Amino acid sequence: QVQVAESGGGLVQVGASLRLSCAASGPTFRTYSMGWFRQGPGAEREFVAAMKGNGGGTFYADSVKGRFTISRDNAKNTVYLQMNSLKPEDTALYYCAAGLRIINTTIRRPGAYDYWGQGTQVTVSS
């Protein structure tokens, strides 16, 4: 069982930056693929970014590519989402998720992940 908990959300203005953190439990954190998803008001949960375990690759939604960066510190069991040049359309509840043995073709799907946090709210004001 893995527990994940997000932090770092807040209210910012257009063009600002935020860094979200996701702390995960368990001694095998490095083996987990970690993903960030978001859900805006009245919208479905959508993929933002992901990083595979064991030194695998990173993946981004087209809408955030070049602005957001996912990274992880396996020594701290933490994954980060650096968000720059924030836009009003980035406003959402951001979720962190963890999963094992996720293949590249499914890493953007919420159903591929086993463990989810409660979310942290990001609001970008114009």
Side-chain angles (χ1 to χ4, degrees):
Q1 188 78 9
V2 173
Q3 293 183 325
V4 295
E6 308 91 340
S7 61
L11 171 63
V12 297
Q13 293 196 333
V14 170
S17 297
L18 272 178
R19 189 177 78 159
L20 305 183
S21 299
C22 172
S25 64
T28 59
F29 172 76
R30 65 176 60 248
T31 66
Y32 279 80
S33 293
M34 301 297 296
W36 286 98
F37 292 78
R38 66 187 182 187
Q39 189 165 14
E44 292 187 354
R45 194 167 298 189
E46 66 171 356
F47 171 77
V48 177
M51 177 176 278
K52 297 194 75 175
N54 294 321
T58 57
F59 304 79
Y60 294 94
D62 288 343
S63 59
V64 306
K65 201 173 294 183
R67 298 189 299 124
F68 291 11
T69 302
I70 188 171
S71 62
R72 66 193 296 164
D73 185 337
N74 289 329
K76 296 182 178 179
N77 278 22
T78 301
V79 63
Y80 304 97
L81 185 68
Q82 177 68 43
M83 305 186 297
N84 299 329
S85 303
L86 282 162
K87 305 175 181 180
E89 51 264 43
D90 295 319
T91 294
L93 188 61
Y94 282 71
Y95 295 92
C96 176
L100 279 174
R101 293 180 291 276
I102 299 177
I103 60 177
N104 291 3
T105 54
T106 62
I107 201 165
R108 291 176 171 83
R109 301 177 188 172
Y113 296 80
D114 301 306
Y115 307 102
W116 291 82
Q118 296 298 308
T120 185
Q121 179 67 38
V122 173
T123 302
V124 184
S125 170
S126 57

